[in-house]
Amino acid sequence: MPTTTSNPPPAVTTTAGGATRWRLVYALAVLGVLAGAYLSLGIGAVPIPLGDLLSPTEDQWRILSVARLPRTVAVLLAGAALAVAGMIMQRITQNSFVSPSTSGTTEAAVLGVLLATLFLPQVGLVGTMVVAIGTGILGTMVFLHLLHRIRFRDPVVVALVGLMYGGVIGSVTTFIAYQRDLLQLLEIWSSGSFSSMMAGMYEPLYLVLLVGVVGYLFADRFTVVGMGREFAVNLGVRYTTILYTGLVVVSVMAATVVVVVGAIPFLGLIVPNIVSLFLGDNVRRILPVTALAGAGFVLACDIVGRTLIHPYEIPVSVVAGVVGAGVFIWLILRSTRPAARTAGAAR
């Protein structure tokens, strides 16, 4: 039986030019998110001029502290969490089309929220989050089991299987909600919106910061696991342990966002793919950029949803779904081009 060493995976080294480039990328990403957040604070049913944000009146400060600041923080945390969750899931499954919304994780978390509401109404928000996290982990484990049994591991096929699997879970959830007359509540959990985010309601999202730190600490190991079981074992990485660590990180992030905000489709799929397309697929290196890109994407969708039909607003899940579906189709078409060129050359 071959022996393995317990040495950690090698650290990523960069040249001076590469380090400068990455610092520039981080700086631009941070500035973009900060600019979007500042703009977001002034948008709402009661507009606040951007110049007044630095020295608001008493009434303006009340609006900012009770509604605008909590909403903006919730947008940034939810976007960053789902983007990082999608990126980690794509690495550990070695499939760029896998994400919480295409693997049944989100649907399983929504089912957990419904079950907690029906059978454990006394547990409160924290208890509901625990149940949702548990069902999210279980649902993702079932998907991974299906993934290992798929003969054709084409990324598009895997994504379609994940969407059908999530659809089955969603159908079961809808049936239960219909039987118990809870369809309106189910709509809230299934459609992400920040319209109700106020002080005292968004704070559970801070959990994703703690889980994000865990994900960053294991980032190099997630990268190694993404290269396959045999490669990871040869480097002394405990493949199964790291795989399930990633599974827990993804499920906690996705379930927390579902409980507090609701489901936001395609975010965990398109943002990591776009970031990886330009910056590579080393988890430790691109995790901060992915978090910032996810936060910026949801922030942009939220701003668009609040301005298109002002003073009313479109849920962020609708805007993200429209944009995400278009980008998803583009990614599918892009992934099939090399195969088409190869087939043409063979003829």
Side-chain angles (χ1 to χ4, degrees), residues 82 100-101 103-117 125 127-141 165-166 169-170 173 185-186 188-190 247-248 250-264:
L82 291 180
S101 59
S103 62
T105 304
T106 299
E107 290 81 4
V110 173
L111 176 59
V113 176
L114 177 62
L115 295 177
T117 302
L125 181 61
T128 301
M129 287 177 58
V130 171
V131 175
I133 290 170
T135 56
I137 293 174
L138 180 61
T140 311
M141 288 178 62
Y165 170 63
I169 298 177
T173 305
L185 284 177
L186 181 62
I188 295 175
W189 302 322
S190 302
L247 172 66
V248 171
V250 168
S251 300
V252 171
M253 285 185 167
T256 301
V257 173
V258 166
V259 172
V260 179
V261 177
I264 303 177

Side-chain angles (χ1 to χ4, degrees), residues 136-184:
I137 293 174
L138 180 61
T140 311
M141 288 178 62
V142 174
F143 172 75
L144 290 179
H145 179 71
L146 292 175
L147 187 62
H148 289 305
R149 297 179 67 88
I150 295 176
R151 178 176 300 178
F152 301 102
R153 299 292 294 275
D154 183 88
V156 177
V157 173
V158 172
L160 291 176
V161 170
L163 289 172
M164 289 187 291
Y165 170 63
V168 171
I169 298 177
S171 299
V172 172
T173 305
T174 302
F175 176 77
I176 297 174
Y178 176 78
Q179 293 290 324
R180 299 301 183 97
D181 196 22
L182 291 174
L183 286 178
Q184 287 186 334

Side-chain angles (χ1 to χ4, degrees), residues 14-344:
T14 58
T15 63
T20 301
R21 173 173 172 267
W22 278 102
R23 282 195 292 268
L24 179 61
V25 170
Y26 292 145
L28 291 176
V30 171
L31 288 175
V33 171
L34 290 178
Y38 187 80
L39 177 63
S40 175
L41 292 175
I43 300 174
V46 181
I48 300 177
L50 296 181
D52 292 347
L53 292 176
L54 297 179
S55 56
T57 64
E58 184 178 347
D59 290 339
Q60 289 173 338
W61 174 246
R62 186 177 299 111
I63 294 173
L64 288 171
S65 61
V66 173
R68 302 287 173 81
L69 283 170
R71 177 177 184 139
T72 301
V73 172
V75 167
L76 297 178
L77 290 176
L82 291 180
V84 170
M87 187 259 299
I88 292 175
M89 179 168 279
Q90 288 169 14
R91 293 299 167 269
I92 63 178
T93 60
Q94 306 172 53
N95 191 299
S96 60
F97 286 155
V98 173
S99 72
S101 59
T102 58
S103 62
T105 304
T106 299
E107 290 81 4
V110 173
L111 176 59
V113 176
L114 177 62
L115 295 177
T117 302
L118 288 174
F119 302 110
L120 299 170
Q122 72 281 1
V123 298
L125 181 61
V126 175
T128 301
M129 287 177 58
V130 171
V131 175
I133 290 170
T135 56
I137 293 174
L138 180 61
T140 311
M141 288 178 62
V142 174
F143 172 75
L144 290 179
H145 179 71
L146 292 175
L147 187 62
H148 289 305
R149 297 179 67 88
I150 295 176
R151 178 176 300 178
F152 301 102
R153 299 292 294 275
D154 183 88
V156 177
V157 173
V158 172
L160 291 176
V161 170
L163 289 172
M164 289 187 291
Y165 170 63
V168 171
I169 298 177
S171 299
V172 172
T173 305
T174 302
F175 176 77
I176 297 174
Y178 176 78
Q179 293 290 324
R180 299 301 183 97
D181 196 22
L182 291 174
L183 286 178
Q184 287 186 334
L185 284 177
L186 181 62
E187 181 66 21
I188 295 175
W189 302 322
S190 302
S191 302
S193 174
F194 297 92
S195 58
S196 62
M197 288 295 102
M198 302 180 71
M201 300 181 63
Y202 78 101
E203 286 80 0
L205 282 173
Y206 285 120
L207 175 62
V208 303
L209 290 177
L210 177 62
V211 180
V213 171
V214 175
Y216 186 77
L217 293 176
F218 282 86
D220 288 335
R221 288 167 175 79
F222 292 149
T223 300
V224 174
V225 166
M227 297 178 183
R229 177 188 291 271
E230 183 177 350
F231 185 88
V233 171
N234 287 337
L235 287 181
V237 173
R238 297 180 178 179
Y239 180 86
T240 303
T241 300
I242 301 303
L243 179 68
Y244 283 104
T245 299
L247 172 66
V248 171
V249 169
V250 168
S251 300
V252 171
M253 285 185 167
T256 301
V257 173
V258 166
V259 172
V260 179
V261 177
I264 303 177
F266 295 113
L267 169 59
L269 173 66
I270 64 172
V271 171
N273 272 283
I274 297 299
V275 173
S276 297
L277 182 64
F278 291 99
L279 301 177
D281 58 2
N282 183 282
V283 177
R284 181 178 294 277
R285 183 182 294 178
I286 68 172
L287 189 148
V289 179
T290 302
L292 290 169
F297 175 75
V298 177
L299 190 60
C301 292
D302 187 54
I303 292 174
V304 170
R306 293 157 68 186
T307 55
L308 281 181
I309 56 174
H310 186 270
Y312 307 102
E313 70 175 77
I314 302 172
V316 70
S317 61
V318 175
V319 181
V322 172
V323 177
V327 177
F328 183 34
I329 293 173
W330 175 76
L331 290 172
I332 291 177
L333 294 176
R334 183 178 181 277
S335 70
T336 58
R337 287 172 190 167
R341 287 196 294 266
T342 301

